[in-house]
PDB file of all heavy atoms in Angstrom:
ATOM      1  N   PHE A  93      98.907-190.783 159.425  1.00  0.00           N
ATOM      2  CA  PHE A  93      97.820-189.930 159.898  1.00  0.00           C
ATOM      3  C   PHE A  93      98.351-189.039 161.014  1.00  0.00           C
ATOM      4  O   PHE A  93      98.939-189.531 161.981  1.00  0.00           O
ATOM      5  CB  PHE A  93      96.666-190.802 160.403  1.00  0.00           C
ATOM      6  CG  PHE A  93      95.531-190.029 161.006  1.00  0.00           C
ATOM      7  CD1 PHE A  93      94.574-189.442 160.203  1.00  0.00           C
ATOM      8  CD2 PHE A  93      95.416-189.901 162.389  1.00  0.00           C
ATOM      9  CE1 PHE A  93      93.517-188.724 160.759  1.00  0.00           C
ATOM     10  CE2 PHE A  93      94.366-189.200 162.951  1.00  0.00           C
ATOM     11  CZ  PHE A  93      93.416-188.606 162.139  1.00  0.00           C
ATOM     12  N   GLU A  94      98.146-187.758 160.865  1.00  0.00           N
ATOM     13  CA  GLU A  94      98.641-186.812 161.869  1.00  0.00           C
ATOM     14  C   GLU A  94      97.631-186.694 162.998  1.00  0.00           C
ATOM     15  O   GLU A  94      96.798-185.803 163.042  1.00  0.00           O
ATOM     16  CB  GLU A  94      98.915-185.448 161.222  1.00  0.00           C
ATOM     17  CG  GLU A  94      99.999-185.452 160.174  1.00  0.00           C
ATOM     18  CD  GLU A  94     101.349-185.922 160.725  1.00  0.00           C
ATOM     19  OE1 GLU A  94     101.622-185.688 161.924  1.00  0.00           O
ATOM     20  OE2 GLU A  94     102.116-186.526 159.958  1.00  0.00           O
ATOM     21  N   GLY A  95      97.723-187.611 163.915  1.00  0.00           N
ATOM     22  CA  GLY A  95      96.807-187.616 165.051  1.00  0.00           C
ATOM     23  C   GLY A  95      96.891-188.939 165.778  1.00  0.00           C
ATOM     24  O   GLY A  95      97.557-189.877 165.334  1.00  0.00           O
ATOM     25  N   SER A  96      96.216-189.026 166.902  1.00  0.00           N
ATOM     26  CA  SER A  96      96.249-190.231 167.726  1.00  0.00           C
ATOM     27  C   SER A  96      95.289-191.289 167.191  1.00  0.00           C
ATOM     28  O   SER A  96      94.484-191.029 166.293  1.00  0.00           O
ATOM     29  CB  SER A  96      95.878-189.884 169.166  1.00  0.00           C
ATOM     30  OG  SER A  96      94.506-189.511 169.234  1.00  0.00           O
ATOM     31  N   GLU A  97      95.374-192.482 167.779  1.00  0.00           N
ATOM     32  CA  GLU A  97      94.448-193.550 167.419  1.00  0.00           C
ATOM     33  C   GLU A  97      93.020-193.151 167.746  1.00  0.00           C
ATOM     34  O   GLU A  97      92.094-193.440 166.984  1.00  0.00           O
ATOM     35  CB  GLU A  97      94.832-194.838 168.168  1.00  0.00           C
ATOM     36  CG  GLU A  97      93.949-196.033 167.843  1.00  0.00           C
ATOM     37  CD  GLU A  97      94.342-196.753 166.564  1.00  0.00           C
ATOM     38  OE1 GLU A  97      95.036-196.145 165.721  1.00  0.00           O
ATOM     39  OE2 GLU A  97      93.932-197.909 166.404  1.00  0.00           O
ATOM     40  N   VAL A  98      92.810-192.477 168.866  1.00  0.00           N
ATOM     41  CA  VAL A  98      91.462-192.021 169.229  1.00  0.00           C
ATOM     42  C   VAL A  98      90.950-191.028 168.194  1.00  0.00           C
ATOM     43  O   VAL A  98      89.790-191.108 167.746  1.00  0.00           O
ATOM     44  CB  VAL A  98      91.462-191.377 170.634  1.00  0.00           C
ATOM     45  CG1 VAL A  98      90.109-190.733 170.930  1.00  0.00           C
ATOM     46  CG2 VAL A  98      91.781-192.424 171.700  1.00  0.00           C
ATOM     47  N   GLU A  99      91.802-190.103 167.791  1.00  0.00           N
ATOM     48  CA  GLU A  99      91.392-189.107 166.785  1.00  0.00           C
ATOM     49  C   GLU A  99      91.108-189.778 165.448  1.00  0.00           C
ATOM     50  O   GLU A  99      90.149-189.413 164.753  1.00  0.00           O
ATOM     51  CB  GLU A  99      92.482-188.049 166.632  1.00  0.00           C
ATOM     52  CG  GLU A  99      92.614-187.153 167.848  1.00  0.00           C
ATOM     53  CD  GLU A  99      93.832-186.245 167.771  1.00  0.00           C
ATOM     54  OE1 GLU A  99      94.872-186.676 167.224  1.00  0.00           O
ATOM     55  OE2 GLU A  99      93.750-185.108 168.264  1.00  0.00           O
ATOM     56  N   TYR A 100      91.924-190.736 165.083  1.00  0.00           N
ATOM     57  CA  TYR A 100      91.708-191.440 163.813  1.00  0.00           C
ATOM     58  C   TYR A 100      90.367-192.163 163.801  1.00  0.00           C
ATOM     59  O   TYR A 100      89.566-192.008 162.879  1.00  0.00           O
ATOM     60  CB  TYR A 100      92.841-192.431 163.561  1.00  0.00           C
ATOM     61  CG  TYR A 100      92.536-193.461 162.497  1.00  0.00           C
ATOM     62  CD1 TYR A 100      92.396-193.083 161.166  1.00  0.00           C
ATOM     63  CD2 TYR A 100      92.368-194.806 162.829  1.00  0.00           C
ATOM     64  CE1 TYR A 100      92.099-194.018 160.183  1.00  0.00           C
ATOM     65  CE2 TYR A 100      92.079-195.745 161.858  1.00  0.00           C
ATOM     66  CZ  TYR A 100      91.941-195.346 160.542  1.00  0.00           C
ATOM     67  OH  TYR A 100      91.642-196.282 159.578  1.00  0.00           O
ATOM     68  N   LEU A 101      90.102-192.948 164.832  1.00  0.00           N
ATOM     69  CA  LEU A 101      88.873-193.737 164.854  1.00  0.00           C
ATOM     70  C   LEU A 101      87.636-192.858 165.012  1.00  0.00           C
ATOM     71  O   LEU A 101      86.562-193.188 164.495  1.00  0.00           O
ATOM     72  CB  LEU A 101      88.930-194.773 165.979  1.00  0.00           C
ATOM     73  CG  LEU A 101      89.923-195.921 165.766  1.00  0.00           C
ATOM     74  CD1 LEU A 101      90.015-196.798 167.005  1.00  0.00           C
ATOM     75  CD2 LEU A 101      89.534-196.758 164.551  1.00  0.00           C
ATOM     76  N   SER A 102      87.768-191.735 165.696  1.00  0.00           N
ATOM     77  CA  SER A 102      86.612-190.861 165.879  1.00  0.00           C
ATOM     78  C   SER A 102      86.373-189.967 164.665  1.00  0.00           C
ATOM     79  O   SER A 102      85.238-189.826 164.198  1.00  0.00           O
ATOM     80  CB  SER A 102      86.785-190.009 167.148  1.00  0.00           C
ATOM     81  OG  SER A 102      87.962-189.236 167.078  1.00  0.00           O
ATOM     82  N   LYS A 103      87.451-189.399 164.111  1.00  0.00           N
ATOM     83  CA  LYS A 103      87.289-188.485 162.983  1.00  0.00           C
ATOM     84  C   LYS A 103      87.069-189.214 161.664  1.00  0.00           C
ATOM     85  O   LYS A 103      86.196-188.852 160.880  1.00  0.00           O
ATOM     86  CB  LYS A 103      88.520-187.574 162.869  1.00  0.00           C
ATOM     87  CG  LYS A 103      88.665-186.580 164.006  1.00  0.00           C
ATOM     88  CD  LYS A 103      89.911-185.712 163.822  1.00  0.00           C
ATOM     89  CE  LYS A 103      90.054-184.702 164.940  1.00  0.00           C
ATOM     90  NZ  LYS A 103      91.282-183.865 164.773  1.00  0.00           N
ATOM     91  N   VAL A 104      87.874-190.224 161.409  1.00  0.00           N
ATOM     92  CA  VAL A 104      87.811-190.911 160.118  1.00  0.00           C
ATOM     93  C   VAL A 104      86.720-191.961 160.095  1.00  0.00           C
ATOM     94  O   VAL A 104      86.002-192.115 159.105  1.00  0.00           O
ATOM     95  CB  VAL A 104      89.179-191.553 159.777  1.00  0.00           C
ATOM     96  CG1 VAL A 104      89.111-192.321 158.465  1.00  0.00           C
ATOM     97  CG2 VAL A 104      90.266-190.477 159.705  1.00  0.00           C
ATOM     98  N   LYS A 105      86.579-192.708 161.191  1.00  0.00           N
ATOM     99  CA  LYS A 105      85.597-193.782 161.243  1.00  0.00           C
ATOM    100  C   LYS A 105      84.262-193.355 161.834  1.00  0.00           C
ATOM    101  O   LYS A 105      83.298-194.123 161.816  1.00  0.00           O
ATOM    102  CB  LYS A 105      86.160-194.958 162.052  1.00  0.00           C
ATOM    103  CG  LYS A 105      87.402-195.594 161.433  1.00  0.00           C
ATOM    104  CD  LYS A 105      87.099-196.242 160.101  1.00  0.00           C
ATOM    105  CE  LYS A 105      88.304-196.977 159.542  1.00  0.00           C
ATOM    106  NZ  LYS A 105      88.013-197.609 158.240  1.00  0.00           N
ATOM    107  N   GLY A 106      84.201-192.124 162.362  1.00  0.00           N
ATOM    108  CA  GLY A 106      82.936-191.605 162.872  1.00  0.00           C
ATOM    109  C   GLY A 106      82.489-192.211 164.189  1.00  0.00           C
ATOM    110  O   GLY A 106      81.293-192.208 164.503  1.00  0.00           O
ATOM    111  N   MET A 107      83.433-192.722 164.974  1.00  0.00           N
ATOM    112  CA  MET A 107      83.092-193.343 166.245  1.00  0.00           C
ATOM    113  C   MET A 107      83.145-192.307 167.368  1.00  0.00           C
ATOM    114  O   MET A 107      83.884-191.329 167.304  1.00  0.00           O
ATOM    115  CB  MET A 107      84.047-194.500 166.536  1.00  0.00           C
ATOM    116  CG  MET A 107      84.040-195.581 165.470  1.00  0.00           C
ATOM    117  SD  MET A 107      85.326-196.845 165.706  1.00  0.00           S
ATOM    118  CE  MET A 107      84.740-197.612 167.228  1.00  0.00           C
ATOM    119  N   ASP A 108      82.361-192.520 168.416  1.00  0.00           N
ATOM    120  CA  ASP A 108      82.334-191.621 169.556  1.00  0.00           C
ATOM    121  C   ASP A 108      83.665-191.699 170.307  1.00  0.00           C
ATOM    122  O   ASP A 108      84.122-192.803 170.655  1.00  0.00           O
ATOM    123  CB  ASP A 108      81.190-192.010 170.490  1.00  0.00           C
ATOM    124  CG  ASP A 108      81.165-191.142 171.733  1.00  0.00           C
ATOM    125  OD1 ASP A 108      80.825-189.958 171.620  1.00  0.00           O
ATOM    126  OD2 ASP A 108      81.492-191.664 172.821  1.00  0.00           O
ATOM    127  N   PRO A 109      84.315-190.554 170.575  1.00  0.00           N
ATOM    128  CA  PRO A 109      85.621-190.574 171.235  1.00  0.00           C
ATOM    129  C   PRO A 109      85.617-191.308 172.574  1.00  0.00           C
ATOM    130  O   PRO A 109      86.571-192.021 172.898  1.00  0.00           O
ATOM    131  CB  PRO A 109      85.958-189.091 171.413  1.00  0.00           C
ATOM    132  CG  PRO A 109      85.202-188.408 170.318  1.00  0.00           C
ATOM    133  CD  PRO A 109      83.932-189.183 170.172  1.00  0.00           C
ATOM    134  N   ALA A 110      84.553-191.127 173.356  1.00  0.00           N
ATOM    135  CA  ALA A 110      84.476-191.819 174.647  1.00  0.00           C
ATOM    136  C   ALA A 110      84.384-193.327 174.441  1.00  0.00           C
ATOM    137  O   ALA A 110      85.000-194.109 175.184  1.00  0.00           O
ATOM    138  CB  ALA A 110      83.271-191.318 175.434  1.00  0.00           C
ATOM    139  N   GLN A 111      83.633-193.731 173.424  1.00  0.00           N
ATOM    140  CA  GLN A 111      83.529-195.155 173.112  1.00  0.00           C
ATOM    141  C   GLN A 111      84.886-195.704 172.665  1.00  0.00           C
ATOM    142  O   GLN A 111      85.283-196.800 173.062  1.00  0.00           O
ATOM    143  CB  GLN A 111      82.498-195.380 172.014  1.00  0.00           C
ATOM    144  CG  GLN A 111      82.363-196.834 171.575  1.00  0.00           C
ATOM    145  CD  GLN A 111      81.500-196.989 170.329  1.00  0.00           C
ATOM    146  OE1 GLN A 111      81.004-196.003 169.775  1.00  0.00           O
ATOM    147  NE2 GLN A 111      81.328-198.216 169.877  1.00  0.00           N
ATOM    148  N   VAL A 112      85.586-194.935 171.857  1.00  0.00           N
ATOM    149  CA  VAL A 112      86.904-195.366 171.388  1.00  0.00           C
ATOM    150  C   VAL A 112      87.870-195.525 172.565  1.00  0.00           C
ATOM    151  O   VAL A 112      88.586-196.529 172.661  1.00  0.00           O
ATOM    152  CB  VAL A 112      87.482-194.354 170.384  1.00  0.00           C
ATOM    153  CG1 VAL A 112      88.931-194.700 170.051  1.00  0.00           C
ATOM    154  CG2 VAL A 112      86.645-194.334 169.109  1.00  0.00           C
ATOM    155  N   SER A 113      87.877-194.562 173.472  1.00  0.00           N
ATOM    156  CA  SER A 113      88.778-194.637 174.627  1.00  0.00           C
ATOM    157  C   SER A 113      88.493-195.876 175.466  1.00  0.00           C
ATOM    158  O   SER A 113      89.416-196.583 175.893  1.00  0.00           O
ATOM    159  CB  SER A 113      88.636-193.377 175.482  1.00  0.00           C
ATOM    160  OG  SER A 113      89.067-192.235 174.774  1.00  0.00           O
ATOM    161  N   GLY A 114      87.210-196.154 175.697  1.00  0.00           N
ATOM    162  CA  GLY A 114      86.849-197.351 176.448  1.00  0.00           C
ATOM    163  C   GLY A 114      87.250-198.621 175.735  1.00  0.00           C
ATOM    164  O   GLY A 114      87.714-199.588 176.359  1.00  0.00           O
ATOM    165  N   MET A 115      87.083-198.629 174.418  1.00  0.00           N
ATOM    166  CA  MET A 115      87.448-199.783 173.616  1.00  0.00           C
ATOM    167  C   MET A 115      88.950-200.036 173.673  1.00  0.00           C
ATOM    168  O   MET A 115      89.402-201.186 173.805  1.00  0.00           O
ATOM    169  CB  MET A 115      87.008-199.541 172.171  1.00  0.00           C
ATOM    170  CG  MET A 115      87.157-200.697 171.221  1.00  0.00           C
ATOM    171  SD  MET A 115      86.385-200.292 169.631  1.00  0.00           S
ATOM    172  CE  MET A 115      87.405-198.910 169.109  1.00  0.00           C
ATOM    173  N   LEU A 116      89.744-198.976 173.614  1.00  0.00           N
ATOM    174  CA  LEU A 116      91.198-199.124 173.661  1.00  0.00           C
ATOM    175  C   LEU A 116      91.664-199.571 175.047  1.00  0.00           C
ATOM    176  O   LEU A 116      92.624-200.337 175.160  1.00  0.00           O
ATOM    177  CB  LEU A 116      91.878-197.818 173.260  1.00  0.00           C
ATOM    178  CG  LEU A 116      91.656-197.355 171.827  1.00  0.00           C
ATOM    179  CD1 LEU A 116      92.454-196.084 171.528  1.00  0.00           C
ATOM    180  CD2 LEU A 116      91.992-198.442 170.819  1.00  0.00           C
ATOM    181  N   GLU A 117      90.988-199.122 176.092  1.00  0.00           N
ATOM    182  CA  GLU A 117      91.321-199.595 177.440  1.00  0.00           C
ATOM    183  C   GLU A 117      91.059-201.093 177.553  1.00  0.00           C
ATOM    184  O   GLU A 117      91.853-201.830 178.147  1.00  0.00           O
ATOM    185  CB  GLU A 117      90.498-198.835 178.474  1.00  0.00           C
ATOM    186  CG  GLU A 117      90.919-197.388 178.665  1.00  0.00           C
ATOM    187  CD  GLU A 117      90.035-196.656 179.661  1.00  0.00           C
ATOM    188  OE1 GLU A 117      89.179-197.322 180.303  1.00  0.00           O
ATOM    189  OE2 GLU A 117      90.198-195.432 179.811  1.00  0.00           O
ATOM    190  N   HIS A 118      89.946-201.532 176.969  1.00  0.00           N
ATOM    191  CA  HIS A 118      89.607-202.955 177.020  1.00  0.00           C
ATOM    192  C   HIS A 118      90.628-203.797 176.268  1.00  0.00           C
ATOM    193  O   HIS A 118      91.106-204.814 176.786  1.00  0.00           O
ATOM    194  CB  HIS A 118      88.214-203.171 176.415  1.00  0.00           C
ATOM    195  CG  HIS A 118      87.855-204.611 176.235  1.00  0.00           C
ATOM    196  ND1 HIS A 118      87.624-205.467 177.296  1.00  0.00           N
ATOM    197  CD2 HIS A 118      87.702-205.368 175.106  1.00  0.00           C
ATOM    198  CE1 HIS A 118      87.347-206.678 176.841  1.00  0.00           C
ATOM    199  NE2 HIS A 118      87.383-206.648 175.521  1.00  0.00           N
TER     200      HIS A 118
END
């Protein structure tokens, strides 16, 4: 996938980017 983990989870999985960033920090 040409993009970051945040981009993948937000674009492909439809998750909120801010939520994804917080989840990855956790």
Side-chain angles (χ1 to χ4, degrees):
F93 176 81
E94 296 301 329
S96 68
E97 181 82 340
V98 172
E99 290 171 325
Y100 164 67
L101 290 173
S102 58
K103 292 180 179 179
V104 178
K105 297 295 185 180
M107 301 173 67
D108 177 71
Q111 177 189 1
V112 172
S113 295
M115 187 172 63
L116 295 183
E117 288 178 7
H118 171 68

